[in-house]
Amino acid sequence: MNRISKPIRSRLERRQRHWTAGLMLGSLLIAAGCAGPQDQGGQVPSAAQTTGTPSPSPAGQDEAGLSPASMLERGSKALAEVRNFDLDMELRQQMVTDGETTSMSMSNKGTIFLEPLVLKQVTVNDFMGEQSTIDSYLNKDGYYMYDHSNSAWSRMLASEVPKIKATLSDFQIAPSKELDKIKPHAASFKASSKEGVTTLAYSGDGKDEAAQALVRDLLRSTMGTDEMDAAIRDSIQVASLEYSLEFDEKTGLLKRLKADADVTIEYDEGNPSKLHQELALNYGSWNGAKAVQVPKEALTAPEVMPADQGLLDALGVEEGEQP
């Protein structure tokens, strides 16, 4: 493993918490305490069925005559009616600092019910070759975790649930709102249509306003940039962005979001790190997801203590930040 300074490694490790509903905190607490999706209209085509290079249509419209702005508006309205869905996520990050490279990846397969929020997910993390797998459940009564490394369940109290919810992004619990954030930049996307799938695609060098806004929203979810010092946050510069959204042509529902970005960020002033990030989200089972049931053994698992500052320090979370 490459040698990494503790502050930088802590920041790298913190990023994944925003995708795993407090997974890393849960992992520490467990160790301490326990020493074919379908949409509304039928089968959703698989990735293999929808691959291919779509041909942009005249005037920025797809073959059905929808402009990027219209597609985003339709998608947002369709998603606003959704009450449950499946979501598979893949995140890969590679950072180069002072000639040293660090890498991490995360895969997450989950089912989400809204109002009230109920969540189930299986998360596999890999940090520089060190892997961990955790099953987690979230409902109004608590947050439950199964650590595959020690075959043990643990649970957090209901009082801790709001902190866990705070780590979830709009990509996970409010995809309609996520599309609303993209609407102001619709003119920067090109629309196309192929085999029942309409696609919006953006490609740029990061110098325009759309790339800056889109990337900062991505990093807010994957890196927790809102928690960073203003100087670090403001140092972020976008070098390139490839961003695409795929919608089911019949329903307008979002099927896939993919974003690859290259940025620089200065954790230490005047010493930029280069970050390459790849993110892919696959949505399905809109309003048809299977019910989530917390296993009985989880309900009676040992309770883990609320996060104290010592644990937050171990995770690289500064005083006053959300875990």
Side-chain angles (χ1 to χ4, degrees), residues 220-276:
R220 185 177 297 112
S221 297
T222 60
M223 293 181 64
T225 50
D226 284 347
E227 299 174 0
M228 294 178 177
D229 292 340
I232 298 175
R233 186 170 59 247
D234 293 343
S235 75
I236 296 173
Q237 298 293 325
V238 183
S240 66
L241 174 65
E242 302 287 335
Y243 199 116
S244 64
L245 303 106
E246 297 179 6
F247 299 87
D248 180 76
E249 194 171 60
K250 292 182 179 179
T251 65
L253 289 167
L254 182 63
K255 291 167 52 65
R256 179 174 170 82
L257 184 154
K258 190 174 188 301
D260 295 349
D262 286 290
V263 307
T264 59
I265 181 171
E266 295 183 16
Y267 287 110
D268 300 309
E269 186 177 358
N271 185 29
S273 298
K274 294 182 178 180
L275 171 69
H276 175 72

Side-chain angles (χ1 to χ4, degrees), residues 6 18 199 257 298 316:
K6 183 177 179 180
H18 296 267
T199 301
L257 184 154

Side-chain angles (χ1 to χ4, degrees), residues 60-229:
Q61 294 183 330
D62 68 8
E63 295 173 5
L66 292 175
S67 67
S70 297
M71 291 170 62
L72 288 168
E73 179 65 24
R74 184 187 182 213
S76 178
K77 289 182 177 179
L79 292 177
E81 300 300 319
V82 167
R83 295 295 174 264
N84 58 75
F85 55 93
D86 289 337
L87 174 59
D88 292 351
M89 300 183 288
E90 296 283 345
L91 174 66
R92 297 181 184 278
Q93 294 178 326
Q94 185 178 75
M95 179 173 282
V96 179
T97 304
D98 294 331
E100 295 184 346
T101 301
T102 57
S103 61
M104 56 164 49
S105 66
M106 182 276 294
S107 65
N108 186 312
K109 295 183 179 295
T111 297
I112 301 169
F113 281 74
L114 308 175
E115 301 176 5
L117 180 62
V118 178
L119 178 149
K120 171 190 176 182
Q121 57 188 10
V122 178
T123 306
V124 179
N125 289 282
D126 186 306
F127 183 87
M128 299 293 290
E130 298 178 7
Q131 290 192 352
S132 63
T133 301
I134 288 186
D135 301 347
S136 56
Y137 294 78
L138 174 69
N139 62 19
K140 64 181 180 62
D141 297 318
Y143 182 56
Y144 311 87
M145 299 154 286
Y146 180 78
D147 187 349
H148 287 250
S149 66
N150 57 16
S151 302
W153 282 97
S154 65
R155 61 189 172 100
M156 286 188 180
L157 299 175
S159 60
E160 294 298 294
V161 170
K163 296 180 183 179
I164 302 301
K165 288 182 178 179
T167 69
L168 298 170
S169 71
D170 285 345
F171 290 107
Q172 292 170 286
I173 59 175
S176 178
K177 291 182 180 180
E178 196 59 48
L179 291 190
D180 289 341
K181 298 175 187 176
I182 301 174
K183 286 179 185 178
H185 314 291
S188 298
F189 285 80
K190 292 184 178 180
S192 60
S193 181
K194 182 180 178 67
E195 298 179 0
V197 176
T198 55
T199 301
L200 293 181
Y202 170 93
S203 179
D205 58 9
K207 296 180 180 179
D208 61 322
E209 181 181 347
Q212 293 288 332
L214 293 169
V215 169
R216 288 181 181 276
D217 183 54
L218 288 170
L219 298 184
R220 185 177 297 112
S221 297
T222 60
M223 293 181 64
T225 50
D226 284 347
E227 299 174 0
M228 294 178 177
D229 292 340

